[in-house]
Amino acid sequence: MDDAPLTWFHRRLTLYSAGGPLLDGYVLGIIGLALTQVVPLWDLSPVWQGLLAASALLGMFLGGLVFGYVTDLVGRQAMYTIDLAAIVVGSVAQFFVDGPVWLLILRFVVGLAIGADYPIATSLLAEFTPRRHRGSMLGWLTTMWAAGNTIAYLVGEALLELGPDAWRWMLLSPAIPAAVLMVARFGTPESPRWLLSKGRTEEAKAALRKALGPDAELDDLPAEPGETSLRGLISKGYLRRTVFVAVFWACSLWPVYAIYAFGPALLSALNLDDPRQANLGSAAIGVFFLAGCVIATLVANRLNRRTLLIWPFAVATVALLLLGLIPTAPTPVIATLFVLYALAIGGPTILQWIYPNELFPTAIRATAVGLGTTVSRIGAGVGTFVTPILLGHMGIGATMLLAGLICVLGLIVSVLMAPETRHHDLHQASSVPTDTGK
């Protein structure tokens, strides 16, 4: 499997697996525009604004942790479609809410299902993907997150033409791609690696042949028996990897989610006073973020993981710090710094799903991705919650400076702890002895 040629099955699996990140980016982006109508309609305080923006992230916190573990216990296949049904139901129900409490609950439910999809879809894709394509295949998932966020702003901007109830249609809209994706995922085979880890060899052969053809063999797949437990993430040499994944993921994600949840408000604070201009500016940031992810994905199989992580992370960090230090700079300077940040953060962003899938064995792979999702969403949730409060009480300079300092922490941890996994097959990459810290 590690040296198999790329097939249409791999491409379809990548496309279907990318649906979860696309929905994540879309759900996060659309709330920023919906809140421009909901806040005055319900006279929401900054605390309520932060809660509604962060509620989906809080759902991802629980969804990643619980369902990553469940996925390692019961397999990837069944969970691959169940979680999408919850997204459909939750999104439709948001159309009918009449107050912030129910909207908070339903966005939490949607976030729960999206958080579950990360360990399910990424572990399934990683376990089928050939070694030389693994970086780019997993990278495309993150690119779809950026695409979803950009689409959300464009769709939301168009839906604003529907009038004062446009926010209802915005919050309903994720149900459509979720339903299409749910149907498309039916019939996806179980991961042969997971079946082997449970001693189910004949089922593993059948799943592999269903995916790659009747001549496919399991000969190059080593058995990876192991216990599925959270303890595995902090034992047998995996603690260092767990700390690295959690910290770099959380620190790189905090500013991204804060910026895209409150893009219009942030850009308005930076002297883009026309609300429509601020909305279109947010969409432009999303386009550049998408471009950054695409560029990083295209070079993911050519650059070492550490190079792709550390140098772009440094550029993004400097851009945020400068936005915090010179928030009254001329508009072209502000725009340039946002563009630099959006382009550069693509490298660390695509590695958020590459690294945890490579660094942990099959028995705890989805659990590790789930834990990374959980910890990162704590950071993203806190960042999203405090952003409107900081804007209201401390101003745009302090808000952006704090985001830059969070990136400084992530950059330091990456320099000190990021391993190199580019040239290893999945079994080698997830074996502790290959982790030299370099």
Side-chain angles (χ1 to χ4, degrees):
M1 285 180 66
D2 279 309
D3 297 310
L6 200 64
T7 68
W8 280 109
F9 169 78
H10 294 119
R11 294 185 174 91
R12 287 196 304 271
L13 185 62
T14 302
L15 178 63
Y16 300 159
S17 298
L22 183 143
L23 287 168
D24 178 10
Y26 188 95
V27 165
L28 176 70
I30 207 70
I31 189 62
L33 287 173
L35 285 176
T36 62
Q37 289 190 325
V38 170
V39 169
L41 177 66
W42 292 339
D43 192 24
L44 296 179
S45 68
V47 173
W48 263 112
Q49 294 177 49
L51 284 173
L52 288 174
S55 54
L57 297 174
L58 296 175
M60 291 181 204
F61 162 84
L62 186 60
L65 183 64
V66 172
F67 292 104
Y69 177 71
V70 170
T71 298
D72 278 333
L73 284 177
V74 306
R76 289 75 163 111
Q77 183 187 41
M79 302 297 298
Y80 198 51
T81 53
I82 292 173
D83 60 326
L84 291 172
I87 297 175
V88 173
V89 172
S91 297
V92 171
Q94 286 179 102
F95 182 87
F96 301 100
V97 296
D98 57 4
V101 174
W102 272 108
L103 183 57
L104 180 72
I105 293 171
L106 290 171
R107 286 193 62 77
F108 177 84
V109 170
V110 171
L112 188 75
I114 292 174
D117 196 69
Y118 283 172
I120 297 165
T122 63
S123 59
L124 185 64
L125 180 61
E127 289 165 5
F128 268 114
T129 303
R131 168 176 34 193
R132 62 184 178 275
H133 299 288
R134 193 171 60 231
S136 60
M137 289 295 199
L138 289 168
W140 282 121
L141 269 62
T142 310
T143 300
M144 292 301 290
W145 186 98
N149 192 266
T150 303
I151 292 169
Y153 277 107
L154 297 176
V155 170
E157 184 70 18
L159 289 176
L160 283 173
E161 302 297 331
L162 296 178
D165 285 332
W167 63 272
R168 296 185 182 275
W169 295 100
M170 292 181 197
L171 297 178
L172 168 70
S173 58
I176 298 173
V180 172
L181 186 62
M182 181 175 62
V183 173
R185 284 185 176 183
F186 280 121
T188 301
E190 182 58 89
S191 163
R193 293 181 189 269
W194 181 83
L195 290 167
L196 273 181
S197 74
K198 301 302 180 183
R200 296 158 60 176
T201 305
E202 292 304 314
E203 292 175 69
K205 289 180 181 179
L208 183 62
R209 289 167 183 168
K210 180 179 180 181
L212 302 183
D215 298 326
E217 296 292 343
L218 295 171
D219 296 344
D220 68 330
L221 289 186
E224 291 184 77
E227 179 186 2
T228 296
S229 72
L230 290 173
R231 291 192 305 273
L233 300 178
I234 58 174
S235 64
K236 299 179 181 178
Y238 287 104
L239 176 59
R240 177 186 174 90
R241 296 178 175 202
T242 300
V243 171
F244 159 65
V245 166
V247 175
F248 113 80
W249 197 343
C251 291
S252 59
L253 208 62
W254 172 318
V256 170
Y257 271 66
I259 288 171
Y260 292 115
F262 291 100
L266 289 169
L267 290 172
S268 294
L270 289 165
N271 300 319
L272 289 179
D273 296 323
D274 183 346
R276 299 299 287 270
Q277 188 181 22
N279 290 344
L280 291 174
S282 296
I285 293 173
V287 170
F288 283 110
F289 180 65
L290 173 59
C293 290
V294 169
I295 293 169
T297 299
L298 291 174
V299 301
N301 293 327
R302 297 177 174 86
L303 293 180
N304 286 341
R305 302 287 190 252
R306 282 177 58 84
T307 302
L308 188 58
L309 173 64
I310 293 170
W311 289 106
F313 212 162
V315 173
T317 299
V318 170
L320 285 182
L321 291 173
L322 288 175
L323 282 168
L325 292 172
I326 53 171
T328 58
T331 299
V333 175
I334 296 296
T336 299
L337 290 174
F338 263 115
V339 168
L340 280 175
Y341 170 77
L343 288 172
I345 201 64
T349 299
I350 72 163
L351 285 163
Q352 291 165 5
W353 287 325
I354 294 173
Y355 259 133
N357 278 292
E358 290 182 334
L359 293 178
F360 297 89
T362 301
I364 56 171
R365 179 167 293 119
T367 304
V369 177
L371 180 65
T373 301
T374 294
V375 175
S376 68
R377 266 55 188 185
I378 293 174
V382 171
T384 305
F385 175 70
V386 303
T387 294
I389 300 173
L390 289 173
L391 280 173
H393 292 86
M394 299 181 66
I396 183 65
T399 302
M400 301 308 295
L401 192 60
L402 176 60
L405 292 174
I406 293 296
C407 279
V408 168
L409 174 60
L411 178 60
I412 292 172
V413 169
S414 297
V415 171
L416 295 177
M417 302 180 71
E420 185 53 60
T421 57
R422 176 189 166 204
H423 297 291
H424 299 306
D425 63 37
L426 203 57
H427 177 66
Q428 293 170 333
S430 62
S431 299
V432 173
T434 64
D435 186 354
T436 63
K438 297 293 183 183

